[in-house]
Amino acid sequence: MTDLTHLTVADALDGLAAKKFSARELTDAHLKKMAALKKLNAYITETPDKALAQADASDKRRAAGGKIGALDGIPLGIKDLFCTEGVQTTAGSHILEGFKPTYESTVTKNLFDAGAVMLGKLNLDEFAMGSSNKTSYYGNVINPWKRQGDSTDLVPGGSSGGSSAAVAARIAMAATGTDTGGSIRQPAALTGTVGIKPTYGRCSRWGIVAFASSLDQAGPIARSVEDCAIMLGAMAGHDPKDSTSVEMAVPDFRKGLTGNIKGLRVGIPKEYRVDGMSQEISDLWAKGAEWLKEQGAEIKEISLPHTKYALPTYYIIAPAEASSNLARYDGVRFGLRVPGNSLDEMYELTRAAGFGKEVKRRILIGTYVLSAGYYDAYYLQAQKVRALILKDFTDAFKDVDVILTPSTPSAAFGFNENEGDPVQMYLQDVFTVTVNLAGLPGISVPAGLDSKGLPLGLQMIGRAFDEETLLRSAQVLERAAHFTALPAGV
């Protein structure tokens, strides 16, 4: 039998339907590989008993000829930002260590209703704040990729670094992620996987630990565009418990993968040629446009003039919302509590011990920009610029159907290579934050290797709620790139 962990979700579903193997065998293969690759630190909490019970239930449904879900028997990793009933949910933070929700997030409930199997809860940057998975209280996640001839451990991207590393290392067939400023697409690009951030409101945020409520959106990381289409179809849907969830039918994303992009208008934004971008990424971007042109697309240069203001705008709005959202962690209701001589002292000691440096930094920035003397100068201005960024995209989409850009300014880097420079780390999101600020869907597809053998990704951006066109275009790009490289030892 072939190594079951190397199958795509689509292939595994076909194999299960043809009774070539059982869901238990598929799950067991992943559990064994997880044990062999513990050094990657991709999982915070492993749930083997729950996984095998879900796999057995899937096998029973198939044996009885019952209703089979869209992901029946497929072993997934769940980012530890999604609340899972009775299973520890930490958000990568000490302050939530030991917290076991009494409820299930809507996205994970949708996945389990579709028959999915949960292998465990995946590591992440603390409260999803970071681009390298270095801020987790539970330790760094190691990217399974290495530079040629170099044993330096590399970052898997962030904040969904556990998700991207697990999918790349074949210790999850696919995984959930969340994307606030690029936290699905950037780690996907650094690990040679596919990651899609859907339109804001496509997937429910209910039961996901909040970072920045107007930016956060759940989405999948998988090993192919088709697998992402299958995952997104199961994750998405209207949820009355989330006021930002949009009441709109979920299309059959997989059915929309026709491979036909004749006449598709692809925009190339001139403002995305930024200082510090490697020549390799610039060349790959040009090659991507050529691949799409060869398949019948029309390439057009476009302008997104307010792009240069996106990062500062994001790093005002996101910390402002985080400072409000994280006020609830006070040691009173759940998670860590450090006793003090007064209520105020207990708050202070708990938050000092419970939050890491990056989270504290962003709470301080957010509280500052919301303070009485600076609200108008910073937060209000940022909201105005955000509206201009959305207008740029609205205008661009009058002339094009999708937009092609790089996913990241560089390949994966070592854990100490941007040490002590938070601004340099923030620049990792330079190509992705605009999509969150505008609430649009974006996808990263692995498109090549750099000179050191590390994966590079290209990003495609679509119109709001037009994930069908986005996925169809991305699959054409994926097929043209024909990315088949694997990290060593996987």
Side-chain angles (χ1 to χ4, degrees):
M1 192 185 288
T2 55
D3 185 346
L4 297 179
T5 65
H6 280 262
L7 295 173
T8 63
V9 170
D11 289 341
L13 287 169
D14 290 343
L16 287 165
K19 296 186 168 49
K20 291 180 180 176
F21 45 82
S22 66
R24 189 181 182 92
E25 288 171 323
L26 188 62
T27 300
D28 199 46
H30 282 84
L31 292 172
K32 284 174 180 166
K33 197 153 194 177
M34 285 162 62
L37 291 175
K38 270 191 188 293
K39 63 184 179 183
L40 298 179
N41 198 32
Y43 286 89
I44 292 174
T45 304
E46 296 180 2
T47 55
D49 293 343
K50 184 179 180 73
L52 290 171
Q54 288 174 320
D56 288 344
S58 175
D59 287 334
K60 283 178 184 172
R61 281 193 295 275
R62 288 186 188 275
K67 187 183 176 188
I68 302 303
L71 286 164
D72 228 301
I74 300 298
L76 306 178
I78 303 297
K79 184 177 181 177
D80 202 18
L81 206 65
F82 292 79
C83 288
T84 42
E85 187 175 356
V87 178
Q88 177 178 253
T89 300
T90 68
S93 181
H94 183 33
I95 209 162
L96 277 176
E97 189 171 16
F99 170 57
K100 292 184 179 180
T102 56
Y103 50 88
E104 194 73 48
S105 81
T106 298
V107 164
T108 49
K109 182 181 184 302
N110 289 349
L111 290 170
F112 299 150
D113 287 349
V117 170
M118 181 172 79
L119 295 167
K121 303 295 291 292
L122 291 160
N123 207 341
L124 68 153
D125 279 299
E126 186 180 5
F127 282 104
M129 298 182 196
S131 304
S132 63
N133 230 129
K134 287 202 302 188
T135 71
S136 172
Y137 175 73
Y138 303 92
N140 297 341
V141 176
I142 310 298
N143 191 331
W145 290 84
K146 292 277 190 284
R147 297 181 184 120
Q148 288 170 355
D150 186 345
S151 62
T152 304
D153 286 338
L154 305 177
V155 305
S159 64
S160 307
S163 302
S164 64
V167 173
R170 276 58 182 167
I171 52 176
M173 298 207 89
T176 63
T178 59
D179 194 311
T180 306
S183 286
I184 287 173
R185 292 158 291 152
Q186 185 254 11
L190 299 195
T191 56
T193 55
V194 181
I196 181 170
K197 172 216 147 341
T199 310
Y200 184 79
R202 175 65 87 182
C203 294
S204 171
R205 292 186 302 107
W206 194 85
I208 301 173
V209 178
F211 164 15
S213 303
S214 75
L215 299 164
D216 299 342
Q217 185 59 202
I221 293 178
R223 291 197 291 272
S224 72
V225 172
E226 183 179 22
D227 285 1
C228 275
I230 296 167
M231 282 284 289
L232 183 57
M235 293 169 69
H238 176 246
D239 179 11
K241 296 195 290 290
D242 174 8
S243 62
T244 62
S245 169
V246 174
E247 195 164 357
M248 183 182 283
V250 179
D252 186 337
F253 297 119
R254 192 181 185 186
K255 197 175 178 182
L257 299 175
T258 63
N260 181 9
I261 61 163
K262 282 187 171 58
L264 187 85
R265 300 167 300 168
V266 179
I268 307 293
K270 59 185 180 183
E271 290 82 6
Y272 277 56
R273 293 185 175 89
V274 297
D275 293 339
M277 183 168 76
S278 75
Q279 189 59 45
E280 289 175 313
I281 286 177
S282 185
D283 292 345
L284 185 67
W285 187 14
K287 195 185 288 184
E290 192 56 40
W291 286 333
L292 294 172
K293 188 177 180 182
E294 286 169 4
Q295 296 302 313
E298 179 189 346
I299 309 300
K300 303 178 80 167
E301 185 175 83
I302 59 168
S303 178
L304 299 169
H306 294 92
T307 296
K308 63 183 175 183
Y309 304 115
L311 266 178
T313 299
Y314 174 83
Y315 279 104
I316 289 171
I317 292 172
E321 295 185 9
S323 78
S324 175
N325 277 325
L326 270 60
R328 71 192 70 172
Y329 303 108
D330 53 15
V332 175
R333 287 158 291 186
F334 38 71
L336 179 73
R337 176 183 297 177
V338 179
N341 293 321
S342 67
L343 186 64
D344 284 352
E345 188 180 38
M346 187 267 284
Y347 288 159
E348 290 167 4
L349 293 175
T350 297
R351 289 169 70 83
F355 291 139
K357 281 184 183 175
E358 183 61 32
V359 172
K360 288 174 184 172
R361 181 185 290 120
R362 297 202 197 190
I363 289 172
L364 286 168
I365 293 169
T367 305
Y368 178 81
V369 300
L370 289 175
S371 59
Y374 300 99
Y375 181 90
D376 288 355
Y378 291 104
Y379 188 70
L380 207 59
Q381 284 296 101
Q383 291 289 18
K384 289 175 182 175
V385 176
R386 183 180 189 175
L388 293 172
I389 289 167
L390 174 57
K391 185 177 183 300
D392 286 349
F393 279 108
T394 303
D395 291 344
F397 280 123
K398 291 173 184 173
D399 297 319
V400 297
D401 303 303
V402 293
I403 295 169
L404 178 71
T405 78
S407 298
T408 58
S410 69
F413 48 91
F415 279 95
N416 299 318
E417 288 171 19
N418 287 328
E419 195 69 34
D421 187 354
V423 174
Q424 194 59 41
M425 198 68 78
Y426 295 168
L427 288 172
Q428 277 294 310
D429 299 329
V430 67
F431 298 127
T432 53
V433 293
T434 52
V435 178
N436 298 81
L437 290 166
L440 299 173
I443 188 169
S444 179
V445 176
L449 298 174
D450 73 358
S451 59
K452 295 170 183 172
L454 295 178
L456 299 172
L458 289 174
Q459 175 181 229
M460 299 192 82
I461 304 165
R463 291 188 180 93
F465 298 103
D466 191 12
E467 286 89 354
E468 283 177 289
T469 301
L470 182 64
L471 286 160
R472 187 174 79 250
S473 312
Q475 191 185 53
V476 170
L477 184 68
E478 175 186 55
R479 286 174 176 170
H482 194 59
F483 184 90
T484 56
L486 287 172
V490 166

